[in-house]
Each structure stands twice: as C-alpha cells, then as structure tokens.
Amino acid sequence: MSAIVQEHTEDHAHDHGHHHKETFITKYIFSQDHKMIAKQYLITGLIMGFIGIGMSLLFRMQLAFPGESFLLFEWFLGDWAPDGVMDADIYLALVTIHGTIMVFFVLTAGLSGTFSNLLIPLQIGARDMASGFLNMISYWLFFISSVIMVSSIFIEAGPAAAGWTIYPPLSALPMAQPGSGLGMTLWLVSMAVFIASSLMGSLNYIVTVINLRTKGMSMTRLPLTIWAFFVTAIIGVISFPVLLSAALLLIMDRSFGTSFFLSDIFIQGEVLHYQGGSPVLFEHLFWFLGHPEVYIVLLPALGITSEVMSTNARKPIFGYRAMVASILAIAFLSTIVWGHHMFISGMNPFLGSVFTFTTLLIAIPSAVKAFNYITTLWKGNLQLNPAMLFSIGLVSTFITGGLTGIILGDSTLDINVHDTYFVVAHFHLVMGISALYGLFAGVYHWFPKMFGKMMNKNLGYVHFWVTAVCAYGVFFPMHFVGMAGVPRRYYENTAFPMFDELTDVQVLMTVFALIAGAAQLVFAYNFVHSIFYGRPAEQNPWKSNTLEWTAPVKHFHGNWEGEIPEVHRWAYDYSKTWDNGDYIIPGQDYVPQHIPLQENEEELQH
C-alpha cells in the first residue's frame, strides 16, 4: 500500500474524536460513511422492489383472467382500467417499468450498491471508501433516478411502454403510442442519471479495492465477495457508457430530428422524413450493455453465496483460485456474447454461429462455480439458517435457469422459442430469482453488521420456503407455456384459440405469484421489526473469519478504534486442524484473518 494511502488512513484514525458532532442531516441523509450509504441503497432498493413486484402481480392477474374486471385495477390504475378492466396500453407499460425497476434499480443498485458499499471497506480493512463524497453523490443520483422513474407512472399519457429493452421505433417516435410520449422521455432521463450514479460507484469500488487494502491483504487473500464486487464494477465501467450513448442518441432521434435508429417509417399511410437509420444498431448498443448487465446483477450474488456458504458449511470454499478465475472468465466472456439476443434480427448466420460458440463457452466458468458450491457443501457441518438456505436456493435456480440458456444460446434452437414465455422463464430463474436470493442471503447474513440486531430466524424460514416453492411454481410451468408458442408481452391471448387450453396454467402461475408476493411481506415485517426490536447482535454471530466481524458492533465513521487489523491468512480457514485432529485455536472451528500463523502451521494452498 502506498505511503500516501497509509497516511490518509492514519489521519482518519486521529479524526475520530472530531466526528461525533454530527447532525441528523450529515448522519442519516447526506452521509459520507459507507455503512450508512449501504443502508440507504438497501432501503431504496427494497422500496423499488416492492413497486416492481406489485406491478408484476397486476399484469399476472390480467394474464390469468383476461378482460375480467377487478376492483384492484380500478384502485391502482384509475383511468387506465375503465370499469376495472385493464387497458392494453397500460399492460405494456407495466411490463416495461417492472423490468426496468427490477433489473436496474433493485438488482443492480440495490444489490451491488448495498453490499459493495458495506463490505468493500470492512472486508479489505479500510476506514472508508476512496472518496466518501463521490459515494454520497452516487447514492443521491440513484435516488433522483428512482424518483424520476416512479414519477413517470403518474403522467397522463402513461409511462414508457416499449418493453424494458425500449427498441425503436416504439421508443424513438413520440407519436407511435401513448407510452412513447413524455413517459419514454422520463425513462431515458432517469436511465442517464442512473448510469452516472453507477459509474461513480463503480470507479470508487475499483480504486478502493486496488489502493486501500490493509497490511497483509494480498489479492489472493481477498474474500470472494470482494473479487465479485471488484470485477462487477469493472464490467459496469466498460459496458454502461454504451447504454448511455444509446440513450443519448435515442433522445436525439426523439427530440432533435436525427435518424440514428429510424428509416422508412410510415404512420397511417404517411411517410415520415426519417432516412438512413437502423433499429438493429440500437439493439447492438443496448445488448452490449444488456448482456454484461446480467453478470453485473449475478456476480455480486454469487460472491455473497461463496462467503455465506463457506461460513455456514464450516468448511473452506472449494477451489478458491478456480472461483476467482471463473469470475474473471465470466467477466471477459460476458462482453462478447451479446448477439445471442438478436438471432432473429436478420444478422448474418455466420455471425450467429460465432455468438453461439462464445455463449456456450460461458457455461464452463458458470459450471465451475456450480460444482465448487456443491463440493463446498459436501460433508460440511451445515448450519441451515435463512442466509444459508437462500444461498443453496441460488445454486438451484442458477443451475435450472442456466440449463435453458444452453437452448437459447444456440441460434438454431433459439429461433423456435425466441420472444415466447420460454425466454421469460429462463432469465427470471437465472438472473431474477438467483440474484434476489443472493440479495436475501446477504441481508440475513450481514443484517447484524448493518443494524446491530438479529433478524427473526423462524420468519426467515417461512420467507425462504414459501418464496422457493412459489418461484418454481411460477417459472417452471412458464417454460412449457413458452414451448407451446405463447408470445411474451401480449396482454391477452384470447385471439388465438390454440392457446385456450393453457389458461389454467396461467391461473396456476398467477396464484403462485400472489402467494410469493405475500411472502415478501413477511420479509418486510421481519426487516423493519428487527431494526427496532430485534435481539441485539454479538460482534461475530456467525463465527466468521472475515475482517468485518472484528469491527465493533456500534457504528462510527472509520470502522475500527485504534489500528486496523493486519491480515495473516486467507478468509476461509474453517475447521482447520493440526495433524492430531485438534483445532488450530483450541475449542474453536474457525481462525479469523487477523490471527497470525501459529508455529509449524502451514498456510492453506489456495
């Protein structure tokens, strides 16, 4: 670590006496403390998550009972549901905003923003992020973009309605449909602000991991959580600017008369003046972010799973170096597979075969991770607390969702199921549910670190089992609906008699979805109640090795009183014994990272 950084850290240590005169605003609102910013990200992300889930329940009811009148629709949708019957335009708008909120606001900002902020300084042994100010700005830009996105729901013409992928011409022509007007403009502005927030956060995470590691914390001693957050931030910095450029070009097309994405458009027989643009160009720009985005969402969840699983199996993580290598391989490959979203866009079939090849390659590092999780569990002393259950659930959905990816990644097979519910089922399992399970595992595991209280374990069990059963209840049947040919984003399929017999399956999926939604209320109650009335947490409730559990339960800016602990070993010395079978530290099956190596003790080869 450079001398400058060391000085900076020591200065921080001397500052503690002066930090106590914080006002409510500097402590809870415009805070520069990474722990408070993590809580802000988490609570904002969870609120957005409930909005997103609520929307999905509304359109699931419409799919199960097309054309039926519901008082619920009238309450929530007002003029968009005359006499309680959902309007076709608002259906597509709900699908669009649901997708946008869940992918970007919950699973990107809510997951990465929360745990990168909470864990990077605490696990690498830093007083705070490299720039607390930039960190604060990053959160507030995320907050502003959330407010803009939610406010677009309330405008008269309705929110953006071109699907979460906002393909032109629906997104590029303000007169195309009601949802192409002001709602679409607000969507683009919101995303531009969101990307600025994401880039600030990512640059901060990268610099912090490279520069602020404590003495002895080499890259190969980093917990896998930090590797995941670090690589996620790098993917974000590479790919998010491309989406920003696509959004800016789309704003130009909409408001300033350019033709980047438009050509030869007719509306009601009238030829518009747009010439020379290409909607396929937009698809390339969008998916160049869109596919790395899947791993921006997934990698932090996989990192959290590595940490939670090793701690609760009381075993070292299996294949630490292979795990790091697979994270790096996934990051590299994720940037060269985007074309598999575009097999039916008229692309050159040879290019299709290239993208098929790179897509199937990414199954290799993914499988390495899956097998290493299973071998970590093998013969472990499993502590099946809610965090551990959600981690095991993640491995399950990662495998089942990943298997259907092999079909969708193959250009010849994909053509048959492209744009059907098969695709929806695939990515909800592999990206949506897996990442949500990672988020929940992280919340249950690090809640004591964030709030100094324990969550209720029994409510956690209820939350896990109901969610796990219902998630498969929704998305497993959906594969078959897709294979039968039901297209996605249609607000009703009554015009197609061949789909009539699938109505019962839609009802079944909707019932499971409603129960799953109710289970999240159990989590919300547990979360809020535990913050105020939970059992006070001890310093290291899970008997874990990483540095964050050496910091006091009580929060203050700077994390450790006195000196930062020095690191002497990797993060996964669980159940480590001498040759005679005795534990390294008598009576304790874990050796924290700051404990020096004992005489004659070998550092584990990892």
Side-chain angles (χ1 to χ4, degrees), residues 1-55:
M1 203 194 320
S2 69
I4 302 169
V5 171
Q6 194 67 49
E7 266 174 50
H8 164 78
T9 342
E10 283 165 13
D11 286 348
H12 253 311
H14 299 314
D15 280 351
H16 281 178
H18 314 297
H19 267 300
H20 291 303
K21 292 180 182 146
E22 289 188 306
T23 63
F24 179 82
I25 289 183
T26 57
K27 184 170 182 191
Y28 291 105
I29 301 176
F30 296 113
S31 171
Q32 296 188 21
D33 181 354
H34 69 99
K35 300 181 290 299
M36 184 55 68
I37 293 173
K39 292 182 203 175
Q40 291 175 320
Y41 264 110
L42 179 61
I43 289 166
T44 313
L46 288 176
I47 291 169
M48 292 297 279
F50 276 97
I51 296 172
I53 290 170
M55 289 179 164

Side-chain angles (χ1 to χ4, degrees), residues 488-508:
R488 57 195 282 206
R489 296 189 182 149
Y490 281 33
Y491 85 113
E492 59 180 11
N493 291 300
T494 44
F496 309 108
M498 67 273 203
F499 297 145
D500 286 351
E501 69 238 38
L502 296 169
T503 316
D504 294 347
V505 186
Q506 295 280 17
V507 173
L508 178 76

Side-chain angles (χ1 to χ4, degrees), residues 26 30 51 54 56 114 120 143 148 182 186 221 237 243 259 263 302 315 347 387 444 471 475 558 570:
T26 57
F30 296 113
I51 296 172
S56 67
T114 301
I120 287 177
F143 181 80
I148 297 172
L182 179 60
L186 288 174
R221 283 177 176 167
V237 168
L243 183 64
S259 306
S263 187
L302 294 172
K315 271 183 66 185
M347 70 156 60
Y444 283 107
F475 296 114
W570 72 327

Side-chain angles (χ1 to χ4, degrees), residues 276-567:
S278 164
V280 177
L281 169 63
F282 179 85
E283 292 187 30
H284 279 292
L285 292 174
F286 182 89
W287 287 114
F288 189 80
L289 158 93
H291 200 80
E293 169 65 24
V294 172
Y295 292 100
I296 290 171
V297 162
L298 206 50
L299 282 178
L302 294 172
I304 287 168
T305 295
S306 303
E307 180 61 41
V308 170
M309 212 173 249
S310 179
T311 300
N312 288 306
R314 312 310 294 163
K315 271 183 66 185
I317 192 83
F318 186 90
Y320 175 88
R321 294 200 171 211
M323 288 298 238
V324 172
S326 66
I327 289 174
L328 295 170
I330 284 172
F332 169 67
L333 289 170
S334 76
T335 58
I336 54 169
V337 296
W338 78 91
H340 64 219
H341 297 268
M342 300 168 55
F343 286 143
I344 63 163
S345 66
M347 70 156 60
N348 183 325
F350 173 71
L351 192 58
S353 62
V354 172
F355 278 123
T356 298
F357 175 66
T358 56
T359 303
L360 296 183
L361 273 184
I362 212 165
I364 298 167
S366 305
V368 167
K369 295 195 87 61
F371 286 124
N372 282 3
Y373 288 136
I374 294 165
T375 30
T376 301
L377 293 173
W378 179 249
K379 292 190 173 176
N381 173 16
L382 304 185
Q383 315 292 310
L384 293 172
N385 51 41
M388 181 64 155
L389 289 175
F390 274 110
S391 295
I392 296 170
L394 179 146
V395 178
S396 166
T397 55
F398 185 57
I399 294 171
T400 46
L403 286 174
T404 52
I406 296 173
I407 295 164
L408 294 169
D410 188 316
S411 51
T412 44
L413 297 174
D414 172 73
I415 289 168
N416 305 294
V417 286
H418 190 93
D419 253 343
T420 66
Y421 272 97
F422 192 84
V423 178
V424 180
H426 157 72
F427 76 78
H428 275 81
L429 276 181
V430 79
M431 170 170 102
I433 303 296
S434 299
L436 267 183
Y437 284 179
L439 176 71
F440 288 138
V443 170
Y444 283 107
H445 190 75
W446 281 289
F447 192 88
K449 193 74 244 161
M450 274 194 267
F451 298 101
K453 301 282 175 71
M454 302 296 286
M455 285 180 84
N456 183 314
K457 201 171 174 180
N458 291 337
L459 288 178
Y461 289 142
V462 172
H463 177 214
F464 170 74
W465 284 111
V466 178
T467 304
V469 171
C470 291
Y472 272 134
V474 174
F475 296 114
F476 196 76
M478 200 179 273
H479 291 90
F480 299 103
V481 172
M483 286 194 286
V486 178
R488 57 195 282 206
R489 296 189 182 149
Y490 281 33
Y491 85 113
E492 59 180 11
N493 291 300
T494 44
F496 309 108
M498 67 273 203
F499 297 145
D500 286 351
E501 69 238 38
L502 296 169
T503 316
D504 294 347
V505 186
Q506 295 280 17
V507 173
L508 178 76
M509 290 193 281
T510 298
V511 169
F512 274 124
L514 291 166
I515 299 170
Q520 307 324 304
L521 296 174
V522 174
F523 167 75
Y525 168 78
N526 193 359
F527 184 83
V528 176
H529 187 266
S530 301
I531 290 176
F532 296 107
Y533 307 110
R535 187 163 54 81
E538 51 193 278
Q539 187 167 333
N540 188 358
W542 314 119
K543 312 219 171 331
S544 190
N545 287 340
T546 41
L547 288 182
E548 76 270 30
W549 305 107
T550 62
V553 177
K554 188 176 179 311
H555 285 186
F556 50 82
H557 203 150
N559 298 336
W560 287 272
E561 284 162 331
E563 288 191 12
I564 297 178
E566 186 181 331
V567 170

Side-chain angles (χ1 to χ4, degrees), residues 86-113:
M86 188 183 290
D87 184 77
D89 285 326
I90 199 66
Y91 175 83
L92 189 53
L94 286 172
V95 171
T96 302
I97 305 296
H98 160 78
T100 309
I101 284 179
M102 298 310 283
V103 170
F104 294 110
F105 292 80
V106 181
L107 299 178
T108 303
L111 183 58
S112 284

